[in-house]
Amino acid sequence: MTYQPDGGRYERQPYNRSGRSGLRLPAVSLGLWHNFGDNRPVGNSRAILRRAFDLGVTHFDLANNYGVPYGSAECTFGRIFREDFAPYRDELVVSTKAGYDMWPGPYGEWGSRKYLLASLDQSLERMGLEYVDVFYSHRFDPDTPLEETMGALDRAVRSGKALYAGVSNYTPEQTAQAARIMRELGTPLLIHQPSYSMINRWIEGGLLDTLEEAGMGCIVYSPLAQGLLTDRYLDGVPADSRAATSRFLSSEQIDVELARDLSEVARGRGQTLAQMALLWTLRDPRVTSVLIGASSVRQLEDNVACVDGPAFTEDELEAIDKITARHAS
């Protein structure tokens, strides 16, 4: 059946301007890090992407090595884009990244011009796209001059293979230097993608100030701390959970009492813990969007509904701070 998107999709969530640019992103964006590789049914991936767009999620975030095996998330997205979303290309923001290991040898990771531009070409081929909206340097390369890395991003934009450039996982100092280089090249950085959550607040130590000064947006990933900030672990670690099965999270990292204490605050707000945690990351207007993952349509719908929650009171924010500080000590 031919996909027809929901006519009311743009009434479902707010769209925030990314820094001082003209681009607005949905408050909630969908990341394809997990659940979209060859190890997942394509029908499930299609259902999630369709429902996301119906809910006003116009931004789909990928990277060259997302999926099992590497690159398969872009292949899955490319297939679904071709079959369902091609007529709506101008309504979508599609991003990808390069920086982590992708192929063997000395040219398959980090931040050289050779790696970044070759990776972008490969990503475009996997997705069947003429361009991506945002191309990121996925991590800072300590052994490559930043001028070379930023020069590659500038080239990607000037060649028409990307509309905007961004960085991910850069420190405030690295970000400021990158932003200066890009301004001088004439291709300002659009956005930074850092990790951020209630229990991972490093961007509050200078990065948000740097982004505001540089006129850049901020889109945060891992807002649920790989599932720690959800109802998933209120009663321990289920055998089929990410903590029990993924190399990115271990059962030793699960703090059940923290989740229970925060869940009490969320319950008082009429939200799930996940919904509260997502909306919490958006409380600072310098955060443009929050990236969610989803393994099912129901999970997607529950998480996108975070934007319907009430604004935080000072008492709620103070309670959250006390809980996270207590469990961090």
Side-chain angles (χ1 to χ4, degrees), residues 40-312:
R40 301 286 182 168
V42 69
N44 189 58
S45 299
R46 184 190 307 277
I48 292 171
L49 288 168
R50 283 182 170 187
R51 185 58 178 149
F53 192 47
D54 286 345
L55 293 173
V57 177
T58 54
H59 179 210
F60 299 138
D61 179 79
L62 300 104
N64 56 358
N65 63 355
Y66 283 1
V68 179
Y70 284 176
S72 58
E74 288 183 330
C75 290
T76 296
F77 176 80
R79 172 181 171 179
I80 296 170
F81 171 83
R82 182 176 65 254
E83 296 173 356
D84 291 344
F85 293 109
Y88 310 101
R89 176 64 183 97
D90 293 337
E91 298 183 45
L92 297 177
V93 173
V94 181
S95 61
T96 196
K97 318 176 197 69
Y100 287 95
D101 63 298
M102 182 60 192
W103 61 82
Y107 319 120
E109 63 177 325
W110 292 107
S112 71
R113 182 183 184 92
K114 179 173 179 61
Y115 167 60
L116 292 176
L117 295 181
S119 179
L120 176 56
D121 284 342
Q122 292 181 17
S123 290
L124 292 175
E125 183 175 359
R126 281 190 290 269
M127 292 188 285
L129 300 178
E130 295 181 358
Y131 68 92
V132 291
D133 296 273
V134 189
F135 182 52
Y136 287 90
S137 167
H138 207 168
R139 61 171 168 172
F140 177 80
D141 183 347
D143 298 319
T144 297
L146 193 55
E147 289 80 3
E148 178 178 342
T149 301
M150 293 302 105
L153 295 184
D154 175 68
R155 176 59 182 166
V157 172
R158 292 183 184 277
S159 69
K161 295 178 181 180
L163 299 186
Y164 300 94
V167 295
S168 179
N169 301 310
Y170 279 45
T171 68
E173 295 76 19
Q174 293 161 354
T175 302
Q177 185 182 1
R180 176 186 59 77
I181 293 169
M182 291 296 279
R183 280 197 304 272
E184 293 173 354
L185 291 171
T187 303
L189 285 174
L190 172 79
I191 200 164
H192 188 297
Q193 186 176 136
S195 60
Y196 184 50
S197 72
M198 289 179 177
I199 58 176
N200 173 22
R201 303 190 180 191
W202 74 275
I203 70 173
E204 297 173 6
L207 181 62
L208 286 173
D209 292 336
T210 297
L211 298 180
E212 183 175 27
E213 182 176 348
M216 295 170 60
C218 179
I219 180 169
V220 300
Y221 72 88
S222 290
L224 303 180
Q226 297 293 304
L228 273 67
L229 298 175
T230 70
D231 295 340
R232 183 71 160 147
Y233 301 105
L234 295 182
D235 298 314
V237 182
D240 62 344
S241 66
R242 184 174 295 177
T245 61
S246 173
R247 65 186 176 92
F248 296 104
L249 182 66
S250 67
S251 57
E252 288 76 19
Q253 295 173 268
I254 303 300
D255 188 333
V256 174
E257 291 302 319
L258 168 68
R260 288 174 179 170
D261 290 346
L262 289 172
S263 185
E264 285 297 317
V265 180
R267 188 175 296 110
R269 291 172 44 80
Q271 291 184 302
T272 65
L273 173 54
Q275 289 169 343
M276 182 180 77
L278 292 169
L279 191 59
W280 181 92
T281 66
L282 291 164
R283 77 199 187 286
D284 190 316
R286 294 173 294 183
V287 175
T288 310
S289 183
V290 58
L291 275 168
I292 63 169
S295 59
S296 68
V297 169
R298 180 179 178 181
Q299 184 184 47
L300 170 82
E301 292 172 340
D302 287 345
N303 287 347
V304 171
C306 72
V307 298
D308 298 323
F312 287 95

